[in-house]
Amino acid sequence: MNDDLRDPLLPPSRGPLSAAVTARLRGAGPLPHPADAAAADPYGDDLQLALYLCYELHYRGFAGVPPELEWDPELLRVRAALEERFRSALRADTPVHDSLDEALAALLVEPAEGTGVSHFLSAEGELWQLREYAAVRSLYHLKEADPHAWVLPRLRGRAKAAMAAVEYDEFGGGRAERVHAHLFAELMRDLDLDTTYGRYLDAAPAEMLAVVNLMSLSGLHRELRGALVGHFAEVEITSSPGSRRLAEAMRRTGAGPAAEFFYDEHVTADAVHEQVVRHEVIGGLLEEEPELAPDIAFGIDATEYLEERLGRRLLASWRAGRTCLRTPLALRGSSPSPQAPLEQQLSHTS
């Protein structure tokens, strides 16, 4: 097991908010005023990167950044302003089901004619698109299950026991070589990708940063424990059929045995997890705190909303024959045009 243990490097900024946060992490320059966050695009590159940088201090941190900045009061004040802008936008924009039962029922129905990313990759995706997908998803999968672990001390009884059981599986059931983050690193090696933690942060679009930021936001706030459980339910309930399609895509393109195994493993594991999460984690939480039902529904629906935004971004780029990344990968096999779209070139230089 040779997972990269180096601390990730700070990425280039994407605007004034992320530039100011980056400067603070490097020990120079003032932080942005909270009012600057209130005026920013809540889903844009600048705010999402600034928020991601603040959250990452609670994970692996960054090379050269003092660990004590994790609890720097001024940085936390800015983070709170960034969070408020993001949370307010999600509350306003997310189509929320009328009840938790309706939100869960929607997850259990697979449309006859699927149009999402996994459907596209299974039916017609090329190897270069699978590589890009893995690079984008590495922002989460190289720390898979870590954001969800924060909810454990916030739960009680059945919900805590069931959540811990699912997390135990995610972390390899006591075997380091079975930790899901390690299995994803093996998938990346099959695809000739760099397995360094955080390596593709600069390449990933804002839509992916928002997906990961929702997990961190929900995990770090006790008041959002219901939303994190809802997020986790959405991930586990929808994972098995999507993973089956992605495993088929890996086999069809000859991606490699580790690439196939990662998704085959999730087909099996998440089919079990789905039942445990629905009946024991959610059921146990509602038994203890029934008033959290709307928050669980919001976590499900907000996750769906952000995943759909990401899916639209990826598919629009791929169907146009161009990279979905801000910085294209080194080429392998068939490839998109090496010229990134103009808006990506401009955003990369901001």
Side-chain angles (χ1 to χ4, degrees):
M1 183 171 177
N2 297 307
D3 290 351
D4 198 295
L5 298 177
R6 291 172 291 174
D7 290 335
L9 300 175
L10 281 168
S13 62
R14 304 187 190 183
L17 291 171
S18 53
V21 171
T22 300
R24 179 57 167 252
L25 297 181
R26 288 181 171 141
L31 283 166
H33 192 278
D36 298 335
D41 177 356
Y43 307 112
D45 278 293
D46 191 27
L47 184 142
Q48 288 299 324
L49 178 59
L51 190 53
Y52 191 99
L53 295 175
C54 292
Y55 286 148
E56 197 58 35
L57 299 177
H58 300 290
Y59 294 102
R60 292 270 294 272
F62 296 98
V65 175
E68 57 267 24
L69 283 180
E70 179 181 5
W71 300 110
D72 177 71
E74 294 301 318
L75 195 57
L76 290 175
R77 189 170 295 112
V78 169
R79 194 191 88 186
L82 298 169
E83 288 177 330
E84 178 57 31
R85 180 69 175 128
F86 185 36
R87 288 176 66 172
S88 296
L90 283 175
R91 288 288 183 185
D93 299 338
T94 298
V96 180
H97 285 88
D98 291 334
S99 71
L100 175 55
D101 287 342
E102 289 182 7
L104 288 169
L107 295 180
L108 295 170
V109 177
E110 275 271 298
E113 298 293 332
T115 58
V117 170
S118 66
H119 292 88
F120 172 86
L121 291 174
S122 176
E124 57 185 295
E126 298 180 25
L127 190 58
W128 67 268
Q129 293 161 335
L130 290 171
R131 295 183 74 231
E132 289 196 349
Y133 183 74
V136 166
R137 285 291 180 185
S138 70
L139 268 64
Y140 167 63
H141 281 304
L142 289 182
K143 57 169 169 267
E144 184 169 343
D146 288 351
H148 305 118
W150 278 319
V151 83
L152 285 170
R154 311 182 194 282
L155 301 177
R156 301 190 295 269
R158 284 171 56 203
K160 180 191 283 283
M163 188 75 185
V166 175
E167 287 283 273
Y168 183 68
D169 282 351
E170 302 284 349
F171 292 129
R175 297 169 55 188
E177 73 278 7
R178 299 284 295 189
V179 172
H180 284 191
H182 171 71
L183 296 179
F184 193 80
E186 293 295 303
L187 171 150
M188 294 177 73
R189 290 188 181 96
D190 266 3
L191 293 171
D192 289 344
L193 294 172
D194 189 337
T195 64
T196 303
Y197 181 92
R199 167 64 178 80
Y200 296 107
L201 173 55
D202 185 39
E207 291 85 352
M208 184 63 209
L209 271 59
V211 168
V212 182
N213 282 341
L214 176 62
M215 301 183 210
S216 300
L217 168 67
S218 302
L220 286 167
H221 291 271
R222 188 173 66 85
E223 64 175 317
L224 296 177
R225 61 196 179 279
L228 186 66
V229 167
H231 165 81
F232 194 60
E234 195 278 345
V235 171
E236 296 298 323
I237 291 172
T238 62
S239 173
S240 189
S243 293
R244 183 176 294 107
R245 289 187 287 270
L246 291 167
E248 292 168 356
M250 295 295 175
R251 273 188 279 275
R252 182 176 56 76
T253 58
E260 296 173 21
F261 180 78
F262 177 82
Y263 288 110
D264 283 335
E265 170 73 6
H266 280 70
V267 171
T268 303
D270 290 345
V272 176
H273 293 170
E274 178 253 321
Q275 296 291 321
V276 176
V277 171
R278 277 201 299 133
H279 297 296
E280 297 301 317
V281 178
I282 292 179
L285 181 58
L286 292 177
E287 188 176 80
E288 296 276 350
E289 300 180 275
E291 69 277 7
L292 292 182
D295 289 345
I296 300 171
F298 173 74
I300 291 171
D301 291 329
T303 302
E304 283 281 293
Y305 174 69
L306 292 178
E307 287 285 359
E308 287 175 3
R309 292 183 77 254
L310 174 62
R312 289 195 299 269
R313 167 66 181 260
L314 302 186
L315 292 175
S317 296
W318 291 339
R319 285 173 174 149
R322 64 175 187 258
T323 179
C324 70
L325 304 177
R326 300 177 69 252
T327 52
L329 300 173
L331 304 183
R332 176 190 172 192
S334 56
S335 62
S337 167
Q339 184 74 7
L342 178 60
E343 68 271 21
Q344 289 176 311
Q345 297 178 53
L346 292 175
S347 66
H348 182 55
T349 57
S350 62

